[in-house]
Amino acid sequence: MDFRRLGALALLAVLATNCASTSHLQPGTQLMRYAEPKQNAITFWGHACAYIDVGGVGIVTDPVFTNHYATIRRRLIPAPPPQAYDQTRVVLISHSHHDHLNAATLKRFPTRAIILAPAPAVRYLAKHGIQARVMAPGDEFAIPGGSIVAVAALHPGGRHSLRSRADGQALGYVIQTSSSTIYYSGDTEYFAGFAEIGTRYDPDIALLNINAHLHSPEAIIAVADLGMPIVLPIHYGAYNGRSVRYGPQWRGDLERALGPTVVPIEVGESYPILPADRRRIVEQ
């Protein structure tokens, strides 16, 4: 089946309906509660931050918990308390932009937590007295029961850089275990790397940052290239900005075009990581 053609046709159908975004995709305004993250689950903490528990191993993506970033971006919800992430074993940093990398936030994490990051982010953290391990596309980091593999992203990698390149300065990550494979995109534009990730790793679940870089038609094609995994669209809910204004429409486009493949998730909610064979049974 030509998934790109299917995605394009689905998008045309979405645009033709001119439907409004579904209300449950709107960022929540209620007081958020951060319970202990569930085991074998993905718990969304707002913006690009998720706590991924695989067999008791806690992995956190791009945590930024400050009240502001880049001066004008204001936090809309409380930050998770330290006891919610005190079991973190690995922190994944996708790139160096202010909404994905914050030294003060990382200093709150357990000192035993290993930080994996692309080279520009590692250099930035070193200036703040924080050690991190440099990752480049194809590099692997072993975890109990599996591994984490760095994959390319098409995005600026430096702290203040604006030029997108798929050169390893910005990354996504693939978490592989014996029962399931999870892909975290980081920030990225659509590029051929999605098809490569789909072919090589065949992810069961994809955490996609749906934002100004990847939304609507490009995101639909990206999901097709990945092999139509379950998609959790994130990159909203914690800070003001374009994701608040336009994010509901972008996520709504995905949900209407791809149906049950897309799972809306609100800040504080968890999505269970089931073995791939069991998930196929559940979805039938």
Side-chain angles (χ1 to χ4, degrees):
M1 179 180 293
D2 186 338
F3 283 117
R4 291 195 184 196
R5 184 178 296 276
L6 174 63
L9 291 174
L11 176 64
L12 289 175
V14 166
L15 297 178
T17 61
N18 195 28
C19 294
S21 298
T22 52
S23 59
H24 68 279
L25 290 174
Q26 299 287 346
T29 57
Q30 71 274 23
L31 180 63
M32 295 300 171
R33 298 178 62 186
Y34 298 97
E36 187 77 15
K38 296 180 180 179
Q39 191 167 19
N40 292 316
I42 299 169
T43 302
F44 180 43
W45 281 346
H47 206 64
C49 184
Y51 189 105
I52 304 170
D53 182 290
V54 287
V57 178
I59 303 168
V60 177
T61 64
D62 286 342
V64 175
F65 299 155
T66 55
N67 290 332
H68 295 82
Y69 76 84
T71 305
I72 62 173
R73 297 301 181 215
R74 175 176 53 85
R75 191 166 182 89
L76 304 173
I77 58 176
Q83 59 267 31
Y85 50 88
D86 60 3
Q87 298 300 310
T88 302
R89 298 280 292 277
V90 183
V91 178
L92 304 180
I93 302 298
S94 63
H95 64 289
S96 299
H97 284 169
H98 291 75
D99 58 327
H100 292 258
L101 177 64
N102 179 263
T105 296
L106 291 175
K107 288 180 178 179
R108 303 182 191 181
F109 278 76
T111 55
R112 68 178 180 277
I114 303 298
I115 300 172
L116 307 182
V122 172
R123 291 193 295 268
Y124 173 82
L125 289 174
K127 296 178 182 178
H128 293 269
I130 300 174
Q131 291 186 338
R133 174 170 173 168
V134 176
M135 299 290 282
D139 288 350
E140 294 191 29
F141 179 80
I143 59 174
S147 65
I148 299 171
V149 185
V151 293
L154 180 58
H155 192 71
R159 188 66 167 173
H160 303 288
S161 60
L162 299 175
R163 184 174 179 181
S164 295
R165 297 179 178 178
D167 58 0
Q169 303 298 290
L171 298 171
Y173 294 93
V174 174
I175 303 167
Q176 297 178 300
T177 71
S178 59
S179 61
S180 61
T181 299
I182 302 160
Y183 166 55
Y184 168 57
S185 69
D187 278 3
T188 183
E189 298 173 26
Y190 175 77
F191 73 127
F194 283 107
E196 296 173 9
I197 292 166
T199 299
R200 176 169 295 187
Y201 301 105
D202 189 24
D204 304 297
I205 303 171
L207 276 166
L208 292 187
N209 286 354
I210 301 301
N211 52 27
H213 309 289
L214 183 71
H215 62 86
S216 297
E218 293 84 3
I220 292 169
I221 298 173
V223 174
D225 284 353
L226 291 170
M228 301 297 284
I230 294 296
V231 175
L232 276 59
I234 62 172
H235 205 276
Y236 76 99
Y239 292 94
N240 64 342
R242 296 186 69 184
S243 292
V244 171
R245 295 193 299 271
Y246 304 115
Q249 180 63 47
W250 296 335
R251 296 189 299 276
D253 285 350
L254 271 185
E255 188 180 5
R256 291 189 294 274
L258 300 177
T261 293
V262 178
V263 178
I265 188 168
E266 298 292 346
V267 177
E269 291 183 346
S270 297
Y271 182 76
I273 301 171
L274 301 177
D277 53 352
R278 183 181 171 195
R279 187 170 298 286
R280 281 192 289 269
I281 294 172
V282 170
E283 292 165 3
Q284 288 177 355

